[in-house]
Amino acid sequence: MSYIEELQQLLTPKQVSTNETTLEQHGRDEGYHPLSLPDAVVFPASTEDVQKVVAFANERRIPLIPFGLGTSLEGHVIPYQGGISLDLSLMNKVLDVRPQDFLVKVQPGLTRTQLNKELKKHGLFFSVDPGADATLGGMAATNASGTTSVKYGIMRDQVKDLEVVLPDGKVIHTGGMAAKSSSGLHLNGLIVGSEGTLGVITELTLQVYGIPEAIMAGRATFPTVQAAVDAVTMIRTSGISIARMELVDARSIQQVNKINELHYAERPTLFLEFHGNEAGLKQDVAFAQEIVNDFGCEELQFELDTKAQAQLWEVRHNLAYAFIHGSPGRKMMVTDVSVPLTELAGAIQDTRAAIEKEGLDGAVLGHVGDGNYHALFMIDMKDEEEVARAKRLNEHIVHYALARGGTCTGEHGVGVGKAIYQRQEHGAAFEVMKAIKTALDPNGIMNPGKIFID
Amino acid sequence: MSYIEELQQLLTPKQVSTNETTLEQHGRDEGYHPLSLPDAVVFPASTEDVQKVVAFANERRIPLIPFGLGTSLEGHVIPYQGGISLDLSLMNKVLDVRPQDFLVKVQPGLTRTQLNKELKKHGLFFSVDPGADATLGGMAATNASGTTSVKYGIMRDQVKDLEVVLPDGKVIHTGGMAAKSSSGLHLNGLIVGSEGTLGVITELTLQVYGIPEAIMAGRATFPTVQAAVDAVTMIRTSGISIARMELVDARSIQQVNKINELHYAERPTLFLEFHGNEAGLKQDVAFAQEIVNDFGCEELQFELDTKAQAQLWEVRHNLAYAFIHGSPGRKMMVTDVSVPLTELAGAIQDTRAAIEKEGLDGAVLGHVGDGNYHALFMIDMKDEEEVARAKRLNEHIVHYALARGGTCTGEHGVGVGKAIYQRQEHGAAFEVMKAIKTALDPNGIMNPGKIFID
């Protein structure tokens, strides 16, 4: 009897698939990393199911890769050593909403859009907003963030408790429902961002927020990237309560115009959003207007109604797709670094110059309030020489960020794409991370080949 | 040659003290836990000094206890197994202020008041505000918080990077200068709150904030604790940007009046503080006023000028001292739990009833925006029966919090006092914590007898 047949007996036959299409769906993510198929895809329906599969895999030394929706960008979920892809899509319930505690308990297969639909009924929202409509389990696994983290924080900041199935099949809780705790070692923060290398997240207790009284969004264009970043720094220094501040470079606006038939000025552009009470917002927006004008803002447009605001953010969020649609037959390579705010303008300019030097085309954009930006380029994966140029460019951008106290990934995570930079970024601390990995997963079954490759 | 003489040769003779007064100063903290002397107190002047001492202690299996200012409350720094108390007071410099990156780099022996004095020159402040003027290294070790965490977060939220000397003498950095990162396992969060059981913090990079444009502080009294907590919950739900919300119960106000010759109404009282821009603050304060009135507020007083505000917070911060001064010959036992906000009023009322049932006297007060509160009682440590009652009361309060999804310590940390509750609170996760402790400190030299006692 094959191990797949044994798995079918352990759960039910229909929870274990070897259908070719299903294997392929679980052999890739949304990045450029090559396909690699799992032996089987398993669909647990409960924590008990997960325990059974994990204990089985651990006993047999079979690689096990937790899978949400496959929206990762650095090959996190690709089973390069085969084994079991553990698809958590059946575990997608909202288990409990506690509005007065600002807490919600959910299963890992729920997406952030589904959660926000439920929370809206209570006047609440979940803040973390990456581009993709990822699952909350996946967002915790990669420590996702996105446009709103400058005000509300990243995924790690929202996680109050995780139920985790460890490689030996035991279930732990990493936190609790108190708003804060100084009890014991902080396992919440350790599991968040561990990318399925330490265990399987089967339940999340997350912090949520009241929907703000007033929201205002706007768009400001600048003559140079430096001017835009200087304005961002000044807005942050001034204490303005800004919820989103996104930079999109001129080449990217050009592509957005082309694909969406828009006529935005093709200049470095800030997309801004303010949250607060009516009176405070008015003062903040007026102050921000003064600041952007001081830094040579050429065009400034605020959107007051919800629909126009939604359209504005649609443009920002669809930027990657504008390049994908505009580059048939090519794969998107996106890199994601974060640097101290004072290094941001220099880093973005260096990246743009490096893109041109390598003769590639692409966007530079980012969550500039956090010093986090992405460079995105469309690659013909069959053209080895072009792939080599793209990899050299990626490496250049990462080295630049690391040399300035930054990180090789601000939000996308390590997966396979950034694993080669772990030792360079973390130095001796990488040995500590490996010691923790070995202590928790001595047989190395959990998502092997990710983060810890040497 | 004794190991102390060897240490004197390893550093310099004056950096190693066995002076009786010095030993006694390092044999206690500000809590009720009994004195226990170290063999010697060592004063490193650099990371290299720390490396030498740690490697020496590890080779000889000598207990090593990092020591800041000894303001802990649960016996964290008391050397119950003798060994070396590593006093970091010589390492107390501000190394770098980067105003536009909102970062500061400091040594662990610097206190938060010293840091804020330096930051004020740049229009910045460091937000974490426990009662004591603790060192920043100690605050990171215990994951301190205090009155402002409802808006700015706890110590763990401020730490961007730590330099840590591990038990084998190696130096690691746990993070970087980027505002966010998804690179590797999150060691920042793991070291913060580890109470010197994993290594010695020798440098901290911390997030700081711009001083807000406007601050308003006030005091509101209520007929019942329930009414005060209901007002707190509604203020939080309404999205008001409140920076501090402290509850002090009627008995505590009585003691404050007595010691400070004040005439505050002896009722459950909220101390509130709002940070924001002028216009936003005005709207927030007006809204908060409506809310507290809706919940039966009896007396409401706002302070506009800085001096009156400082006096208001002086009263709140000196509350523990009001009990200490009023109870000569007694030791303060303070317990510190945190519960979900919806459980807070019930928990505080249960605590007050339990204090009375045990025939003890004391205060109930807390950072109620976080669901975190303290019960504080003055104990005659020579009266065994009274000590037993106090311990029973402490245990009752902890069990009540744990049964409702809370934590045995919201901010004071585990030390020896809360170590007995670790298994109950964390269950199987406690084994994971112990595995991490063993992986990092296989010889168990780092602050033995704290957190991990069974």
Side-chain angles (χ1 to χ4, degrees), chain A residues 101 145 180-181 279 283 342 407, chain B residues 101 145 180-181 279 283 342 407:
Chain A
D101 289 323
S145 44
K180 67 182 192 186
S181 172
Q283 183 178 331
T342 49
T407 178
Chain B
D101 289 322
S145 46
K180 66 183 192 187
S181 173
Q283 182 178 331
T342 49
T407 177

Side-chain angles (χ1 to χ4, degrees), chain A residues 89-396:
Chain A
S89 57
L90 298 181
M91 295 174 67
N92 66 345
K93 286 173 204 62
V94 177
L95 299 173
D96 192 12
V97 183
R98 297 174 63 121
Q100 295 201 314
D101 289 323
F102 301 93
L103 293 176
V104 62
K105 198 175 282 187
V106 302
Q107 289 187 310
L110 188 79
T111 72
R112 63 183 183 92
T113 306
Q114 290 165 340
L115 175 60
N116 270 323
K117 204 174 152 191
E118 180 63 29
L119 289 174
K120 208 175 173 184
K121 301 176 195 165
H122 303 273
L124 298 169
F125 78 106
F126 180 70
S127 62
V128 186
D129 166 42
D133 186 20
T135 64
L136 293 155
M139 287 168 66
T142 53
N143 188 29
S145 44
T147 60
T148 59
S149 59
V150 65
K151 182 174 172 75
Y152 298 97
I154 60 180
M155 191 69 188
R156 187 174 281 124
D157 299 320
Q158 319 308 330
V159 170
K160 292 293 154 191
D161 182 33
L162 295 172
E163 184 185 85
V164 180
V165 176
L166 296 177
D168 62 6
K170 283 209 192 81
V171 178
I172 63 165
H173 277 264
T174 58
M177 291 198 293
K180 67 182 192 186
S181 172
S182 283
S183 176
L185 300 183
H186 189 54
L187 299 185
N188 275 342
L190 188 71
I191 299 295
V192 175
S194 65
E195 303 184 1
T197 64
L198 302 180
V200 182
I201 297 169
T202 49
E203 202 178 286
L204 305 93
T205 301
L206 301 169
Q207 180 171 232
V208 297
Y209 299 87
I211 295 171
E213 180 186 308
I215 295 178
M216 172 98 82
R219 197 171 47 79
T221 65
F222 293 85
T224 61
V225 165
Q226 181 74 53
V229 171
D230 285 348
V232 163
T233 305
M234 185 52 78
I235 288 171
R236 284 215 52 192
T237 309
S238 71
I240 289 174
S241 174
I242 196 146
R244 289 169 157 163
M245 45 201 329
E246 299 287 302
L247 177 67
V248 177
D249 81 344
R251 170 66 191 96
S252 311
I253 296 287
Q254 193 182 39
Q255 188 71 10
V256 162
N257 280 343
K258 191 174 149 193
I259 299 296
N260 299 286
E261 295 177 18
L262 291 166
H263 303 282
Y264 287 161
E266 292 175 356
R267 296 294 242 170
T269 303
L270 286 181
F271 291 72
L272 303 168
E273 190 168 286
F274 304 81
H275 293 181
N277 65 33
E278 291 282 2
L281 200 74
K282 228 171 173 170
Q283 183 178 331
D284 274 349
V285 169
F287 194 6
Q289 259 174 319
E290 263 180 54
I291 291 170
V292 297
N293 287 331
D294 282 353
F295 287 95
C297 173
E298 297 170 331
E299 190 187 308
L300 177 63
Q301 195 187 338
F302 279 103
E303 302 295 356
L304 290 164
D305 73 287
T306 321
K307 207 176 146 190
Q309 287 178 4
Q311 202 196 333
L312 189 90
W313 288 109
E314 189 87 356
V315 166
R316 164 64 189 85
H317 276 139
N318 286 340
L319 208 148
Y321 296 100
F323 278 90
I324 292 167
H325 287 301
S327 318
R330 288 169 176 265
K331 278 263 193 186
M332 179 178 72
M333 184 185 280
V334 54
T335 193
D336 151 54
V337 297
S338 194
V339 294
L341 218 48
T342 49
E343 296 287 352
L344 185 61
I348 289 177
Q349 281 156 7
D350 179 82
T351 291
R352 174 51 69 196
I355 291 173
E356 275 157 30
K357 192 182 146 207
E358 294 292 358
L360 293 166
D361 182 30
V364 181
L365 69 157
H367 315 306
V368 289
D370 301 321
N372 177 212
Y373 73 98
H374 310 312
L376 175 166
F377 19 94
M378 303 308 303
I379 308 297
D380 178 357
M381 296 302 286
K382 285 185 235 69
D383 181 342
E384 274 180 40
E385 193 272 334
E386 186 170 305
V387 171
R389 276 186 287 145
K391 285 191 174 166
R392 199 162 57 207
L393 175 56
N394 193 341
E395 187 171 275
H396 173 87

Side-chain angles (χ1 to χ4, degrees), chain A residues 98-103 142-146 149 154 156-157 166 170-187 189-190 192-195 197-198 207-208 210 213 233-234 236-239 277-281 283-284 287 336 338-343 367 369-372 404-414 418 421-422 425-426 428-430 432-437 439-440 451-452, chain B residues 98-103 142-146 149 154 156-157 166 170-187 189-190 192-195 197-198 207-208 210 213 233-234 236-239 277-281 283-284 287 336 338-343 367 369-372 404-414 418 421-422 425-426 428-430 432-437 439-440 451-452:
Chain A
R98 297 174 63 121
Q100 295 201 314
D101 289 323
F102 301 93
L103 293 176
T142 53
N143 188 29
S145 44
S149 59
I154 60 180
R156 187 174 281 124
D157 299 320
L166 296 177
K170 283 209 192 81
V171 178
I172 63 165
H173 277 264
T174 58
M177 291 198 293
K180 67 182 192 186
S181 172
S182 283
S183 176
L185 300 183
H186 189 54
L187 299 185
L190 188 71
V192 175
S194 65
E195 303 184 1
T197 64
L198 302 180
Q207 180 171 232
V208 297
E213 180 186 308
T233 305
M234 185 52 78
R236 284 215 52 192
T237 309
S238 71
N277 65 33
E278 291 282 2
L281 200 74
Q283 183 178 331
D284 274 349
F287 194 6
D336 151 54
S338 194
V339 294
L341 218 48
T342 49
E343 296 287 352
H367 315 306
D370 301 321
N372 177 212
R404 283 151 187 86
T407 178
C408 74
T409 170
E411 57 181 18
H412 294 169
V414 177
K418 295 290 174 69
Y421 305 114
Q422 290 301 292
E425 176 167 348
H426 302 298
F430 190 52
V432 175
M433 296 177 193
K434 291 208 295 187
I436 292 171
K437 162 73 173 173
L440 269 68
I451 306 180
F452 309 100
Chain B
R98 297 174 63 121
Q100 294 201 315
D101 289 322
F102 301 94
L103 293 176
T142 54
N143 188 29
S145 46
S149 59
I154 60 180
R156 186 174 281 123
D157 300 319
L166 296 178
K170 282 208 192 80
V171 178
I172 62 165
H173 278 263
T174 60
M177 289 198 293
K180 66 183 192 187
S181 173
S182 283
S183 176
L185 300 183
H186 190 54
L187 299 184
L190 188 70
V192 174
S194 66
E195 303 184 0
T197 64
L198 301 180
Q207 178 171 231
V208 297
E213 180 187 309
T233 305
M234 185 54 76
R236 283 216 51 191
T237 309
S238 70
N277 65 33
E278 290 281 1
L281 200 74
Q283 182 178 331
D284 274 347
F287 195 6
D336 151 53
S338 193
V339 293
L341 217 49
T342 49
E343 296 287 351
H367 316 305
D370 302 320
N372 178 213
R404 282 152 186 86
T407 177
C408 75
T409 171
E411 59 180 16
H412 294 169
V414 177
K418 295 289 174 70
Y421 306 114
Q422 290 301 291
E425 177 167 348
H426 302 298
F430 190 52
V432 175
M433 296 177 193
K434 291 206 296 187
I436 293 171
K437 163 72 174 172
L440 270 68
I451 306 181
F452 308 101

Side-chain angles (χ1 to χ4, degrees), chain B residues 216-221 264 270-272 289 292 297-304 308 312:
Chain B
M216 171 98 82
R219 196 171 49 79
T221 64
Y264 287 161
L270 286 181
F271 290 72
L272 303 167
Q289 258 174 321
V292 298
C297 173
E298 296 170 331
E299 191 186 307
L300 176 63
Q301 195 187 337
F302 279 102
E303 303 294 356
L304 291 164
L312 189 90

Side-chain angles (χ1 to χ4, degrees), chain B residues 348-365:
Chain B
I348 289 176
Q349 281 157 6
D350 179 81
T351 292
R352 174 50 69 195
I355 291 173
E356 273 156 30
K357 191 181 145 208
E358 294 292 359
L360 294 166
D361 182 30
V364 181
L365 69 158

